[in-house]
Amino acid sequence: MTSLLEVHNISKYYRAKNGWLKQRRICALEPLSFSIQRGETIAIMGETGSGKSTIARLIAGAEAPSSGEIYLNGELLNPHDYQTRCREIRMIFQDSLSSLNSQLTIGRQLLEPLKFNTRLSQAEQHERVYVILQKVGLLPDHFNFYPHMLSSGQQQRVCIARAIILEPQIIVADEAFASLDPSIRAQIINLILDLQEDMGISFIFASHSPEIVKHVADKILIMHRGKMIEFDSTQALLTNPKEQISKNLLQSEQLNKALKHTTTQE
Amino acid sequence: MPSKSIYYQYREPSPLRLLWLHMNANPFAVVAFYIFSFLILLMVLSPVIAPYSPDAQFSGAISQPPAWHELGQIQYLFGTDDLGRDLLSRVLAGSVYSLGYPLLATTVAALIGISIGAWAGMSHGVQSSTLNHLLDVVLSIPSLLLALVIIAILGPALHNIMIAITLVLIPQFIHSVHNAFYEERTKDYVAASRLNGCSRWYILTRVIFPNITTVVVMQVTFALSTAILDIAALGFLGLGVQAPAPEWGTMLARSLDQVYLAPWTMILPGVALFLTVLSINVLGDSLRAAIQERVRGT
């Protein structure tokens, strides 16, 4: 059986120009491969600049990989073919406000993917947007709102609505919860878990927070300086991490604090 | 950000209406807006409302002062010049040359410049820089000088000045629009639209363009005031619109030698020019501020 998404040796290099003709290649991601089954939730963990966001952006197609291929259901995905990709893979960006167009209403932005990827009539498209808005806990009235008029939690909900409106198989979230405060973060995570259950979506997310990862993820991918260090089920990684870095990353913040506290007391 | 307005029975004003509300809060903007609208209205209606033909000479009323002067006559509201031509009619007719033609030149330059700039902003590498620097040579010469060169070759005429001014304004539009596009293109919301499967045309016109309106508005006002001043300056130098035509700059130049005898022949076209340029600059500036304020949120 082929897995839902197969990532094959993808890598990403950036070219930094310093001076005439001199170019330095900066490696953001060294070749790595992994695969994802239907309905799974994968967490990508790592320090800042370890390539978490790069993986997310490469899978979603926001950037083209320097080498390697991505297969969806055994079929090769072309990095510049947004039309086929966006029906199956959708992305939630890190900063919800900057990923929404400040000059268009929420409704117009949610109509965008429907307009270009479905053959629904105008009225059906509007109906679909209303349904989706309610699904993510907003009101149909929000159709005519501009992004800056919503709170950050509501903005994140709009981004989620945009991600699920085409009923994709995979949603990629790039630290989508980092900027939210704890109660809203919990709401949004529960929302995503509910949606995942309803629609059978596979979910890939990059995160800093070990609590969320433990709570949500089936498998964890640990990154360090553009390399994949470990990729295993949450259970295995929690009980028996092979690397020290994984151990540090997965150690919960509370425990960290407690440890520090005791050491300072001593 | 407050979200309390969600639960009010509250109709969100359209972007244009919101812009108007912001503009209304600024008294200078309102005054400038009314002055500019009034000038445009006068320009459009000038053939109808001008009391006389701009070239009609009244031998009985030579160098007649304006009507508010004790020697003035009410049938010549702004007085007459040394050839006995009614100054009000001439100033009104002159608005077509001094406001209408710059408007035309700016519109043409904006259309060409914005489309090339947008094209350059959306493309990559060599194509982008070729388009961006297409008319840079023109930019290195001041607009007045370029107009002088063109006139030296083709002879003084209105359409030659128009070509010169349009040519000078285009690269400025290209540069500002290209830079604005370049800056916006890498932002997340554009990536999001790309991932929505939107066509390039849709991203260009509906996604990025509304976000660079401040740049365009600023550039249009700047270009318009430059065009007005250039046409007036060339007229003043006697290289632009030729003498019998009532262009404001030409009128200023002609009245120069009688400034002590009939100062109104110089002051009135000067005031018209001053009001036009001032209102355009104030209007453009407040429009830009209002757009920025709307984006930032209420």
Side-chain angles (χ1 to χ4, degrees):
Chain A
M1 177 196 148
T2 54
S3 39
L4 175 62
L5 185 83
E6 227 170 296
V7 175
H8 217 68
N9 276 329
I10 55 164
S11 65
K12 181 75 187 175
Y13 294 93
Y14 291 103
R15 283 204 188 87
K17 250 188 194 168
N18 40 355
W20 276 107
L21 303 172
K22 256 187 274 173
Q23 275 190 349
R24 214 153 43 91
R25 279 174 84 193
I26 297 170
C27 176
L29 196 65
E30 288 185 24
L32 64 86
S33 315
F34 60 93
S35 61
I36 295 163
Q37 304 300 326
R38 190 172 299 276
E40 262 184 339
T41 303
I42 310 280
I44 305 170
M45 292 195 76
E47 296 152 353
T48 329
S50 60
K52 299 191 298 284
S53 298
T54 312
I55 297 185
R57 294 180 79 92
L58 288 181
I59 293 174
E63 279 169 44
S66 307
S67 69
E69 301 96 35
I70 297 172
Y71 296 91
L72 183 81
N73 291 324
E75 279 172 44
L76 180 68
L77 280 178
N78 182 346
H80 292 294
D81 185 4
Y82 302 114
Q83 296 262 336
T84 37
R85 189 186 286 251
C86 71
R87 269 171 230 155
E88 309 300 344
I89 305 178
R90 301 286 286 165
M91 179 160 179
I92 303 172
F93 286 84
Q94 187 165 3
D95 183 356
S96 51
L97 184 59
S98 78
S99 74
L100 293 170
N101 191 341
S102 58
Q103 302 281 339
L104 289 181
T105 57
I106 302 297
R108 291 277 303 278
Q109 294 186 53
L110 290 177
L111 283 174
E112 243 173 51
L114 295 178
K115 209 181 208 165
F116 284 94
N117 297 296
T118 61
R119 290 188 181 173
L120 301 174
S121 69
Q122 202 87 3
E124 284 169 330
Q125 287 180 4
H126 278 77
E127 196 49 46
R128 179 87 161 265
V129 170
Y130 295 144
V131 170
I132 290 285
L133 279 174
Q134 277 170 325
K135 212 169 192 171
V136 297
L138 295 170
L139 301 168
D141 309 22
H142 285 104
F143 191 92
N144 290 320
F145 278 59
Y146 286 88
H148 65 77
M149 300 163 73
L150 302 175
S151 69
S152 60
Q154 288 171 320
Q155 284 163 5
Q156 198 59 269
R157 282 166 192 264
V158 174
C159 291
I160 293 171
R162 180 166 62 183
I164 61 171
I165 198 163
L166 287 173
E167 293 175 355
Q169 299 182 31
I170 300 171
I171 290 182
V172 182
D174 178 12
E175 298 200 40
F177 321 115
S179 58
L180 301 172
D181 61 77
S183 63
I184 296 171
R185 196 187 299 169
Q187 280 179 22
I188 298 282
I189 289 170
N190 287 337
L191 172 67
I192 286 181
L193 289 177
D194 288 347
L195 290 171
Q196 193 177 15
E197 214 165 285
D198 283 357
M199 306 166 77
I201 301 170
S202 296
F203 189 53
I204 302 171
F205 71 105
S207 177
H208 275 306
S209 155
E211 283 89 359
I212 297 178
V213 172
K214 280 177 204 165
H215 180 59
V216 178
D218 297 320
K219 282 186 180 172
I220 303 177
L221 198 158
I222 307 269
M223 297 292 300
H224 182 64
R225 295 190 180 172
K227 276 194 206 106
M228 182 169 82
I229 296 184
E230 282 193 74
F231 180 51
D232 213 334
S233 70
T234 311
Q235 191 65 36
L237 268 177
L238 280 174
T239 50
N240 187 22
K242 294 189 193 82
E243 306 269 344
Q244 184 59 33
I245 298 162
S246 330
K247 213 184 227 166
N248 292 349
L249 282 169
L250 284 168
Q251 219 158 45
S252 76
E253 283 161 35
Q254 268 81 26
L255 199 61
N256 261 336
K257 274 178 206 157
L259 280 174
K260 266 182 205 157
H261 200 62
T262 48
T263 47
T264 46
Q265 265 185 347
E266 283 160 9
Chain B
M1 221 162 281
S3 53
K4 59 176 193 284
S5 49
I6 293 166
Y7 300 105
Y8 285 104
Q9 189 67 26
Y10 172 73
R11 188 101 195 116
E12 171 58 19
S14 71
L16 218 61
R17 170 116 190 98
L18 208 60
L19 208 62
W20 175 243
L21 290 175
H22 280 307
M23 289 269 291
N24 248 345
N26 179 356
F28 291 107
V30 178
V31 171
F33 177 74
Y34 282 124
I35 290 180
F36 187 64
S37 316
F38 182 65
L39 287 170
I40 294 277
L41 195 71
L42 283 186
M43 183 192 85
V44 173
L45 295 180
S46 62
V48 185
I49 56 171
Y52 309 104
S53 154
D55 296 326
Q57 298 183 5
F58 301 94
S59 49
I62 285 172
S63 290
Q64 186 88 49
W68 52 85
H69 191 271
E70 52 195 18
L71 294 173
Q73 283 178 318
I74 194 65
Q75 65 260 50
Y76 308 114
L77 189 63
F78 279 6
T80 55
D81 63 6
D82 58 329
L83 295 177
R85 295 176 295 195
D86 179 44
L87 219 54
L88 176 63
S89 312
R90 285 181 71 74
V91 169
L92 282 175
S95 64
V96 175
Y97 293 96
S98 295
L99 182 60
Y101 280 96
L103 269 174
L104 187 68
T106 312
T107 314
V108 173
L111 284 179
I112 298 174
I114 291 171
S115 22
I116 296 181
W119 185 11
M122 289 297 277
S123 50
H124 295 268
V126 180
Q127 189 189 12
S128 171
S129 40
T130 311
L131 287 168
N132 191 20
H133 300 296
L134 194 62
L135 289 169
D136 274 11
V137 182
V138 180
L139 204 60
S140 65
I141 312 168
S143 57
L144 256 171
L145 194 62
L146 182 78
L148 286 178
V149 171
I150 291 182
I151 287 158
I153 299 167
L154 300 173
L158 187 59
H159 61 265
N160 292 340
I161 306 170
M162 291 288 285
I163 292 171
I165 289 173
T166 312
L167 218 59
V168 170
L169 294 180
I170 288 173
Q172 295 171 0
F173 274 105
I174 294 179
H175 276 287
S176 54
V177 171
H178 168 264
N179 290 346
F181 259 90
Y182 202 79
E183 210 173 285
E184 293 295 317
R185 204 178 65 183
T186 49
K187 291 194 176 161
D188 270 351
Y189 72 90
V190 181
S193 283
R194 217 152 16 95
L195 293 180
N196 280 344
C198 298
S199 62
R200 265 168 74 103
W201 178 246
Y202 183 92
I203 290 180
L204 180 80
T205 53
R206 302 287 176 78
V207 179
I208 301 183
F209 198 73
N211 284 286
I212 64 160
T213 36
T214 37
V215 177
V216 172
V217 165
M218 226 168 71
Q219 196 56 47
V220 165
T221 30
F222 174 72
L224 189 54
S225 51
T226 311
I228 289 174
L229 287 177
D230 276 1
I231 285 196
L234 285 168
F236 187 81
L237 294 175
L239 298 166
V241 183
Q242 289 306 299
E247 198 270 329
W248 292 342
T250 321
M251 284 164 76
L252 278 179
R254 255 198 56 82
S255 58
L256 203 57
D257 43 357
Q258 322 152 33
V259 66
Y260 293 113
L261 293 171
W264 58 90
T265 53
M266 182 173 225
I267 292 169
L268 290 170
V271 167
L273 202 56
F274 170 72
L275 272 183
T276 313
V277 174
L278 184 71
S279 67
I280 288 169
N281 283 346
V282 171
L283 191 66
D285 199 47
S286 40
L287 202 59
R288 183 175 53 84
I291 293 174
Q292 270 172 351
E293 206 171 328
R294 180 171 73 82
V295 172
R296 233 184 286 124
T298 35

